[in-house]
Amino acid sequence: LAKTTQPISMDSYEGQEVNITCSHNNIATNDYITWYQQFPSQGPRFIIQGYKTKVTNEVASLFIPADRKSSTLSLPRVSLSDTAVYYCLFTGGGNKLTFGTGTQLKVEL
Amino acid sequence: EPEVTQTPSHQVTQMGQEVILRCVPISNHLYFYWYRQILGQKVEFLVSFYNNEISEKSEIFDDQFSVERPDGSNFTLKIRSTKLEDSAMYFCASSDPPVGQGGDYTFGSGTRLTVV
């Protein structure tokens, strides 16, 4: 079963760039890499999805190397409101999402 | 931005009672899901639903659980004879296409179920 590994927690300060790396050594050919954000007592919110190379949207960038064994979510210039749990997931070969424990990002002044 | 709407936001029920959690998925989505999150734990998949039938369910989704799409807009989760351990946040989600084909999920804001 494909599995992701990410740091349990990270701390940052407002205005800094934050990079959260996820390892996924046994990713399958048909798997996409998807990142979600979750605030306390709210549902997970889609951030970004990619298959390979780099994807950028209005809130984040996702870097995926050629071997696809890892991916890095980059959040530019974080603010206090970016304090949340960030999940790296595989999305492929089925409909369900399998969440891990995620990375708790804490942003301070 | 389209939303998945869940009601109620918080429900308190007596152990042994039946509860129905309601969801209105995004209107053009065809795939529907229920997840739950016990306080301080992971988000767990319960069930997926497509074309008016269950397409996949987890071990958690036993005979006390059922889902239904009673009309063209609502998607419900029924828990018969609730137990204390059913206390959790329940999230509804919808997608189109299914997420494995590059689509994304949209989650609702959840229903906090407290069984006393």
Side-chain angles (χ1 to χ4, degrees):
Chain A
L1 185 64
K3 186 179 175 183
T4 59
T5 303
Q6 36 179 142
I8 293 173
S9 64
M10 294 182 70
D11 294 329
S12 184
Y13 294 96
E14 274 203 317
Q16 290 191 331
E17 177 183 79
V18 170
N19 296 307
I20 306 174
T21 297
C22 177
S23 300
H24 28 81
N25 291 326
N26 55 348
I27 189 170
T29 304
N30 62 343
D31 282 335
Y32 286 77
I33 298 154
T34 308
W35 286 79
Y36 281 81
Q37 174 193 57
Q38 187 182 27
F39 298 112
S41 299
Q42 293 188 30
R45 185 175 75 100
F46 173 86
I47 302 175
I48 197 165
Q49 182 180 75
Y51 187 80
K52 60 181 177 181
T53 65
K54 178 183 175 182
V55 179
T56 298
N57 62 21
E58 63 274 10
V59 298
S61 294
L62 178 60
F63 300 91
I64 305 168
D67 65 8
R68 301 197 337 120
K69 293 183 184 300
S70 67
S71 60
T72 300
L73 174 72
S74 180
L75 304 172
R77 295 181 300 282
V78 294
S79 64
L80 294 175
S81 62
D82 293 315
T83 294
V85 179
Y86 292 83
Y87 299 97
C88 162
L89 304 170
F90 292 151
T91 51
N95 293 346
K96 69 180 182 185
L97 296 182
T98 302
F99 287 83
T101 52
T103 298
Q104 173 67 63
L105 173 65
K106 183 179 179 183
V107 180
E108 298 176 290
L109 287 172
Chain B
E1 188 174 326
E3 289 185 341
V4 173
T5 305
Q6 290 187 243
T7 54
S9 57
H10 191 185
Q11 173 130 21
V12 181
T13 189
Q14 296 265 346
M15 190 169 53
Q17 295 295 305
E18 175 183 285
V19 295
I20 297 177
L21 310 183
R22 302 181 191 280
C23 169
V24 178
I26 291 174
S27 60
N28 62 342
H29 284 184
L30 300 178
Y31 300 82
F32 314 115
Y33 315 86
W34 284 99
Y35 288 76
R36 80 171 185 189
Q37 186 174 32
I38 296 171
L39 186 64
Q41 297 188 24
K42 300 180 199 177
V43 177
E44 300 174 292
F45 169 80
L46 292 178
V47 66
S48 59
F49 192 87
Y50 170 72
N51 199 25
N52 280 321
E53 60 183 27
I54 291 173
S55 49
E56 188 173 359
K57 61 182 181 180
S58 71
E59 291 177 353
I60 303 168
F61 194 88
D62 60 22
D63 291 344
Q64 71 164 143
F65 292 93
S66 63
V67 290
E68 192 178 27
R69 188 156 164 82
D71 53 43
S73 60
N74 291 285
F75 180 50
T76 62
L77 174 69
K78 181 189 291 185
I79 309 174
R80 289 180 277 273
S81 189
T82 50
K83 299 177 278 195
L84 293 176
E85 54 265 38
D86 294 327
S87 295
M89 283 287 286
Y90 287 82
F91 296 109
C92 174
S94 68
S95 74
D96 187 28
V99 71
Q101 297 173 19
D104 64 279
Y105 270 48
T106 301
F107 283 83
S109 54
T111 293
R112 180 174 298 284
L113 176 65
T114 302
V115 182
V116 297

